[in-house]
Amino acid sequence: MVKRLFQEYVYQHPWAVVTEATWLKYPNPFCPHVLDVDVISRRVDDNDGFLKTRRLFTATSPVPRGLRWLMNSDVAYAVEDSVVDPVKQRMELNLRSLTFGDIVEMRETSTFEPHPENSEWTLLKQHWSCEWKVSTAFVSSLEKLSVQRFLSSVANGRLAVKQLCQDIEQNETPNHVS
Amino acid sequence: MTSKEDGFDPTKLCAEAKQKYNACFSRWYRKSFLDMGRPGSGEGVCQVEWNEYERCIKLMLKKRKLEHLLEEQAKLEARVGKDSR
């Protein structure tokens, strides 16, 4: 069974600032489960002028310690493919989990666009889905844990992005959230 | 976790190369990419910094047996190229 969530959020910062902050978001102390993020390929497409990036996310295992017999690793990987259209001002991030694919599959799509009612703000839409493929009595607990982890990482991630937006707007050159 | 087989510490080297690349990329993103709209084709994004960083990335992917991520991307781009003709 696939668990799905949809969220919208408004950043009171311009699209250019929010998207720049997004590149710098990880790692940050608000989101300790994301250990690192690396760019593995990036280019500007000759045909459409879009920035196309692939990044590798290294995170802590989504499985609680007591259930580690399900997965024999402390680390999980996810890959994010993104496209930025600088003319239409649209950024789309597509994240999907890589490890333990026969046990759990997680996907997240985020789109950033200027807010339709205020061009100085940015509207974020997030679609998240998670499927645990194990048939154990623990499935609903695992689903609940995944949802909790997603919701808290989303809330904390926004704090990190907001701080970065402030740094960028104050003309500081942020490297990462400190 | 870090390998020192040939005296090369990938974690440390990657951290420095990554920081330089990310700093360059942030500047490019803000000043070139977003301002100009569509930069000229063939323009490398922070090519010097990327070359250093990419060296580490390839090693890291190999160590983690994730090189297929690069191949997948190359295949995807080749297919897109074909479709757009």
Side-chain angles (χ1 to χ4, degrees):
Chain A
M1 201 182 95
V2 183
K3 187 85 190 157
R4 292 182 208 277
L5 286 174
F6 174 71
Q7 290 209 338
E8 279 192 357
Y9 185 75
V10 179
Y11 284 104
Q12 293 181 6
H13 297 278
W15 179 86
V17 172
V18 173
T19 56
E20 185 184 329
T22 300
W23 295 122
L24 299 165
K25 183 181 174 188
Y26 294 114
N28 74 72
F30 298 109
C31 303
H33 69 281
V34 178
L35 301 170
D36 214 348
V37 178
D38 280 293
V39 176
I40 57 179
S41 74
R42 176 176 267 151
R43 66 190 177 91
V44 176
D45 190 307
D46 285 347
N47 292 321
D48 49 33
F50 296 171
L51 178 69
K52 294 177 181 170
T53 306
R54 173 165 275 200
R55 296 197 293 175
L56 178 72
F57 281 59
T58 305
T60 56
S61 168
V63 174
R65 214 158 272 286
L67 292 169
R68 288 289 162 88
W69 52 268
L70 270 177
M71 299 178 183
N72 59 359
S73 171
D74 292 331
V75 164
Y77 297 113
V79 68
E80 177 202 78
D81 287 313
S82 62
V83 180
V84 182
D85 179 345
V87 173
K88 285 203 175 136
Q89 292 196 316
R90 187 173 193 276
M91 173 191 248
E92 181 172 310
L93 310 172
N94 282 289
L95 183 75
R96 60 184 166 87
S97 56
L98 286 176
T99 28
F100 319 124
D102 49 349
I103 297 169
V104 65
E105 200 176 305
M106 190 274 291
R107 285 174 188 266
E108 189 180 320
T109 298
S110 307
T111 60
F112 295 82
E113 288 174 295
H115 195 283
E117 286 155 34
N118 184 337
S119 60
E120 289 302 299
W121 291 358
T122 303
L123 178 62
L124 162 62
K125 293 182 183 174
Q126 275 172 298
H127 290 268
W128 176 86
S129 72
C130 185
E131 186 184 5
W132 284 91
K133 301 172 187 180
V134 291
S135 48
T136 77
F138 299 111
V139 166
S140 63
S141 316
L142 291 169
E143 279 178 358
K144 259 193 208 150
L145 274 163
S146 301
V147 166
Q148 274 166 15
R149 183 159 133 148
F150 168 68
L151 291 175
S152 86
S153 85
V154 149
N156 291 332
R158 286 167 190 167
L159 291 173
V161 170
K162 281 196 270 198
Q163 190 178 319
L164 283 163
C165 286
Q166 281 161 15
D167 291 345
I168 292 167
E169 285 171 343
Q170 281 158 25
N171 270 324
E172 287 171 35
T173 335
N175 260 329
H176 277 291
V177 184
S178 47
Chain B
M1 281 255 261
T2 62
S3 160
K4 303 213 170 138
E5 297 140 4
D6 51 357
F8 173 68
D9 184 345
T11 314
K12 188 170 182 255
L13 195 66
C14 273
E16 285 174 30
K18 180 169 160 177
Q19 197 180 8
K20 284 186 184 157
Y21 170 74
N22 281 337
C24 179
F25 171 75
S26 287
R27 281 191 304 269
W28 173 87
Y29 183 76
R30 192 194 303 187
K31 298 196 166 94
S32 296
F33 183 65
L34 294 187
D35 269 354
M36 304 282 282
R38 290 180 187 184
S41 62
E43 180 184 316
V45 183
C46 299
Q47 202 61 49
V48 171
E49 289 83 357
W50 174 250
N51 290 341
E52 274 301 303
Y53 181 37
E54 194 188 19
R55 210 160 63 94
C56 296
I57 292 300
K58 286 191 166 158
L59 274 165
M60 182 263 285
L61 290 175
K62 194 172 175 185
K63 280 205 183 331
R64 297 177 182 182
K65 299 190 179 11
L66 292 172
E67 305 117 297
H68 64 275
L69 291 180
L70 286 172
E71 289 163 20
E72 234 181 79
Q73 182 71 347
K75 271 186 206 153
L76 194 72
E77 289 173 16
R79 198 182 66 211
V80 168
K82 244 197 212 168
D83 291 343
S84 64
R85 242 172 252 149

